[in-house]
Amino acid sequence: MDDPDVLVIGGGVAGLFCAYFLRQAGGSVTVVERGPVGGPQSCSAGNTGFVGTHGAAPLAAPGMFSTLLRPDGPLYVRPRWDAGLVRWLWHFRRAATSRAAFPVLLELKRQSYEILRKLCASGGLADTFAAPGMIVAYRDQDAFERACRTAQVTAERGVPLRILDPGSVAELEPDVELDICGAVYNEEGAYLRVPAFLTELAASLADAGVDVRPHTEVTGFEVAGHAVRRVRTNRGDLRPGQVVLAAGAWSAAVARGLDLGLLLQPIRGHAATVAGVSPRRPVTLGEEQVALAPVGDGLRIGGGRGLVGLDRTTSPDRVAAMLRAAGRYLPALRGATPGAVWSGLRPCSPDSLPFIGRAGRYDNLHVACGHGHIGMGLAPAGGRLLAQLVAGEPPDVDPAPFRVGRYSTEDSHGT
């Protein structure tokens, strides 16, 4: 096989959208993925697939840092000595005092939503995308009132939000009983049915001439001067003109030795599927940060985030806590037994902004990773931005907030 103009390392949602837009720009593109596309190793394989303009708030929110050591908290940190983790947490705490990331994430999500609507309007992808709106439900009156105030600020940025009382929610969801005091409704809430979306997108890329190679793991790089000349894999070497690193939570490990300074931490999330009653549209449990998405004839429940390193082991305690939370909002789910249970690793930066752009001292190495807990909703526009930067085209969004070296000591503009 001829060496490609561009090699994309990683066949998750970020890598596939990079390949999609790079192929549109012309030239040959190869994607390598260490497992099957959409396989269980992918952080996009079993999550709730939320996209749209909902959930643009960064993970580093005020008050989040004080809860990190609580096993039942919204983001649990497994205590351990890890210099990289300590540095990540230091920047995470600083990011929690800034509101700069929110408008940047919101714009990237808004552009991604429009890309998905057009891409999934017909063909095999049409059945993998649904945009029925999204409900953010609250049981606690004080939390609901705070959410209402936040919704007013968010609506001023153009997000179509409505405040709903329980009766209005019941009209939207007549098939389920919700034990809540109110909700915020986003008309631009949507979700992707995964992993079907990934496998369909990969198939459409292959039809467009992209060489998608599953079960192909990168094992090293050969560097000469300021360029990556050779990429070694378990299935032979490649000599691409340009290289895009989009390997998700494994990006820093794959690039070990290249000195990119990627400040990434994998955040493990869980998902459990239960049969029976399900809302018609996706629901977020506001106080619990647990997500509910319709899937087949049941419901997928996602949440249980933890900073535990590259550990995909499922935590029964976290899964049980998610199910209890869901049961408090949906009485029909109380005592429900989960069917399929999954866990995956989301690649997170301290400020929740992905790393997108040219990497370090290398003229032909680019990065697209760190999309974090809202990666499905950021990857489409992020892939387009990456392709524009590689091609030297004017970008649709300002690339400065996504600088790869923003946490490096050499970057005078870093945080």
Side-chain angles (χ1 to χ4, degrees):
M1 184 71 67
D2 294 336
D3 290 316
D5 295 323
V6 186
L7 172 66
V8 178
I9 302 172
V13 67
L16 292 181
F17 270 107
C18 287
Y20 175 79
F21 285 105
L22 286 163
R23 181 57 180 161
Q24 284 195 343
S28 59
V29 180
T30 294
V31 177
V32 295
E33 166 60 37
R34 64 192 185 95
V37 173
Q41 84 290 342
S42 169
C43 78
S44 306
N47 61 29
T48 49
F50 283 9
V51 294
T53 55
H54 165 75
L59 193 60
M64 177 73 81
F65 196 83
S66 64
T67 70
L68 294 180
L69 294 180
R70 280 176 35 201
D72 62 343
L75 177 62
Y76 169 66
V77 177
R78 177 184 292 167
R80 62 191 186 279
W81 172 246
D82 180 330
L85 174 62
V86 171
R87 185 163 172 256
W88 189 95
L89 289 171
W90 188 82
H91 285 285
F92 179 82
R93 186 172 189 177
R94 291 190 67 186
T97 64
S98 171
R99 298 182 180 180
F102 174 73
V104 178
L105 291 170
L106 178 58
E107 180 57 27
L108 208 62
K109 293 202 78 181
R110 181 180 284 119
Q111 291 192 15
S112 294
Y113 179 59
E114 293 305 318
I115 290 170
L116 287 167
R117 286 177 64 89
K118 294 176 182 178
L119 180 65
C120 301
S122 60
L125 287 167
D127 291 336
T128 68
F129 172 75
M134 181 173 297
I135 295 170
V136 185
Y138 293 88
R139 298 184 73 246
D140 179 78
Q141 186 65 38
D142 290 340
F144 177 50
E145 291 175 0
R146 288 194 298 271
C148 291
R149 292 191 292 270
T150 301
Q152 291 177 351
V153 176
T154 304
E156 292 173 358
R157 295 185 178 272
V159 181
L161 299 179
R162 285 192 284 140
I163 307 301
L164 303 180
D165 59 26
S168 299
V169 175
E171 291 178 4
L172 283 177
E173 293 291 343
D175 300 329
V176 297
E177 176 192 354
L178 287 164
D179 184 6
I180 61 175
C181 66
V184 178
Y185 177 64
N186 184 351
E187 295 177 5
E188 294 178 343
Y191 67 104
L192 297 167
R193 297 183 175 95
V194 295
F197 174 80
L198 291 179
T199 55
E200 286 291 339
L201 179 57
S204 68
L205 290 176
D207 290 342
V210 175
D211 182 10
V212 181
R213 304 186 187 184
H215 304 288
T216 304
E217 184 172 2
V218 170
T219 57
F221 301 89
E222 182 180 307
V223 175
H226 294 282
V228 174
R229 299 300 183 190
R230 186 187 302 268
V231 179
R232 300 188 179 91
T233 81
N234 61 336
R235 296 195 169 189
D237 295 355
L238 293 163
R239 297 174 59 89
Q242 303 285 332
V243 179
V244 176
L245 177 62
W250 283 268
S251 294
V254 171
R256 187 180 294 114
L258 294 178
D259 192 27
L260 301 186
L262 290 176
L263 194 55
L264 278 178
Q265 282 294 318
I267 293 185
R268 184 178 65 187
H270 292 81
T273 303
V274 296
V277 65
S278 173
R280 299 178 180 181
R281 49 185 53 76
V283 176
T284 296
L285 312 183
E287 296 94 335
E288 303 286 353
Q289 297 192 22
V290 169
L292 313 178
V295 53
D297 59 352
L299 184 68
R300 180 170 291 160
I301 304 171
R305 298 187 293 237
L307 278 156
V308 296
L310 290 172
D311 180 4
R312 288 189 57 245
T313 305
T314 300
S315 167
D317 290 341
R318 297 294 272 182
V319 173
M322 286 162 40
L323 292 173
R324 287 195 300 271
R328 286 192 288 271
Y329 288 74
L330 278 75
L333 292 179
R334 292 171 186 169
T337 302
V341 175
W342 171 89
S343 63
L345 301 174
R346 304 175 178 95
C348 293
S349 67
D351 57 8
S352 294
L353 295 171
F355 297 104
I356 302 174
R358 190 170 65 84
R361 61 185 178 88
Y362 303 98
D363 296 329
N364 70 334
L365 178 60
H366 314 267
V367 169
C369 65
H371 297 70
H373 66 298
I374 50 176
M376 301 295 289
L378 300 177
R384 181 169 64 186
L385 173 61
L386 187 282
Q388 290 168 338
L389 295 175
V390 171
E393 299 175 354
D396 288 339
V397 297
D398 180 7
F402 311 107
R403 291 188 314 276
V404 176
R406 64 185 183 270
Y407 293 107
S408 300
T409 55
E410 296 82 5
D411 189 343
S412 60
H413 301 288
T415 55

